[in-house]
Amino acid sequence: MSGLHKLEIKQLRILSELLALQNLSKVAQKIGLTQQAISEQLKKLRDILDDRLFVRQGNKMVPTPRALALEAPIAEVLVQLEDIVKPEHFEPATYQGVFSISATDYATQALLPEVLSIVRAQAPSLKLIVQDFASDNVVELMSSGQLDLLISFPDFIPDNLPYELLFAEQHLCVASRQSSLNQNTLSIADIAKQPQLVVSPSRANLKGSHDQWFANLGLKRNIIMSVPNFSSVPDLLYATDLIAFFPSRLLPNNKVSILEVEALPPPFEVIVAWHPRSSQSKIHQWLIEQLRLVINQPRAMVQN
């Protein structure tokens, strides 16, 4: 190890070219250095390797047995170094690996079925692990490599994570297809009075994401039930007189109807986030591109 810290990559290349060309001026011309610079590097190599390496005979540099013995291992090292600096090559069809995604209940329903369909068709050896969204330990999971992508909302991710806005989503007001409310256009005051169901995935309480919107209008919602996920909402509305605000990408649904209302709450953003070290990862870039494609596809009727 005594000379390893002195050895430079360019010196290995010079030694390799000298072994091939056995001429200082030809090596200088090929590498783009002066002949003096090549001579100086050869002098350093002789010191590091404790061998003359080459003996001049006229214009020819004849390698010593030590230099000849180094030819094959140096060529192998240079090939490996070239592989290190080559751009990452990614082919979905041949990619093998496991990829972990953390997604909200909404994202799992709205995006992942179509993404998985693409993955199965184009990257059959890619395996996906989908985790429940948990905002409390996102940084730890991403830093440790247990989580690769996060599909969520901007307010729920740490500031140090890079992310891309996928789309803006709108909640629509829905009720059972059998509801008498389907016959009229409802005011916001009418909506506030109706018994409502909200989705509260992280905390079990009777609070909803649009409470502040109603409060800003001087209204208080009549929330009588909360559930942890969107998947149960259509069944519950179909069997009751409740209404709910439901994401448009999960509609249409054959158990609920969209109510006519005078105004809707502000839209919310859906983002995909990743760890900074993965910004140039080809597999990350490919999966994010598939998310973009899914967003632009029409969505079929959701059967629940």
Side-chain angles (χ1 to χ4, degrees), residues 16 19 66-79:
S16 178
L19 284 163
R66 168 75 164 144
L68 289 172
L70 291 172
E71 186 171 12
I74 287 175
E76 183 177 350
V77 167
L78 289 173
V79 168

Side-chain angles (χ1 to χ4, degrees), residues 44-58:
K44 292 179 181 179
L45 280 166
R46 285 168 167 163
D47 179 61
I48 293 169
L49 298 173
D50 193 25
D51 189 88
R52 293 184 67 186
L53 297 177
F54 295 90
V55 178
R56 183 183 293 277
Q57 290 184 2

Side-chain angles (χ1 to χ4, degrees), residues 263-284:
L264 289 170
F268 61 93
E269 294 180 336
V270 179
I271 59 94
V272 57
W274 56 91
H275 195 277
R277 68 168 174 266
S278 302
S279 292
Q280 303 302 317
S281 164
K282 298 299 183 182
I283 179 62
H284 282 73

Side-chain angles (χ1 to χ4, degrees), residues 104-107 109-111 152-154 165-172 209-210 230 245-252 258 264-271 295 299 302:
T104 60
D105 162 61
Y106 161 75
Q109 296 183 66
L111 298 175
S152 181
F153 315 115
L165 172 64
L166 292 175
F167 60 95
E169 172 65 294
Q170 178 68 63
H171 275 131
L172 301 177
S209 57
H210 300 307
F230 285 104
F245 283 94
F246 202 66
S248 67
R249 284 194 67 87
L250 300 185
L251 295 169
I258 301 171
L264 289 170
F268 61 93
E269 294 180 336
V270 179
I271 59 94
I295 290 162
R299 188 174 178 85
V302 179

Side-chain angles (χ1 to χ4, degrees), residues 4 53 65 67 75 83-84 87 114 134 153 180 182 200 208 212 246 271:
L4 184 59
L53 297 177
D83 289 340
I84 289 174
E114 289 86 351
F153 315 115
S180 60
N182 292 311
S200 182
Q212 189 59 49
F246 202 66
I271 59 94

Side-chain angles (χ1 to χ4, degrees), residues 52-124:
R52 293 184 67 186
L53 297 177
F54 295 90
V55 178
R56 183 183 293 277
Q57 290 184 2
N59 293 329
K60 191 174 183 181
M61 302 293 291
V62 179
T64 66
R66 168 75 164 144
L68 289 172
L70 291 172
E71 186 171 12
I74 287 175
E76 183 177 350
V77 167
L78 289 173
V79 168
Q80 292 174 346
L81 290 172
E82 286 288 346
D83 289 340
I84 289 174
V85 298
K86 280 182 181 177
E88 181 185 3
H89 181 69
F90 173 74
E91 284 289 344
T94 57
Y95 182 85
Q96 296 187 3
V98 179
F99 204 87
S100 180
I101 300 174
S102 176
T104 60
D105 162 61
Y106 161 75
T108 301
Q109 296 183 66
L111 298 175
L112 293 190
E114 289 86 351
V115 170
L116 180 58
S117 177
I118 293 173
V119 167
R120 293 301 303 145
Q122 298 186 25

Side-chain angles (χ1 to χ4, degrees), residues 192-242:
K193 294 175 185 177
Q194 294 297 321
Q196 297 181 44
L197 177 145
V198 296
V199 176
S200 182
S202 57
R203 293 175 178 82
N205 55 40
L206 296 174
K207 295 181 179 180
S209 57
H210 300 307
D211 291 354
Q212 189 59 49
W213 180 66
F214 280 94
N216 292 341
L217 297 172
L219 300 169
K220 181 176 176 58
R221 301 171 76 182
N222 181 23
I223 298 173
I224 68 163
M225 183 178 183
S226 72
V227 292
N229 53 63
F230 285 104
S231 59
S232 60
V233 171
D235 284 331
L236 293 170
L237 296 186
Y238 186 74
T240 67
D241 61 342
L242 304 184

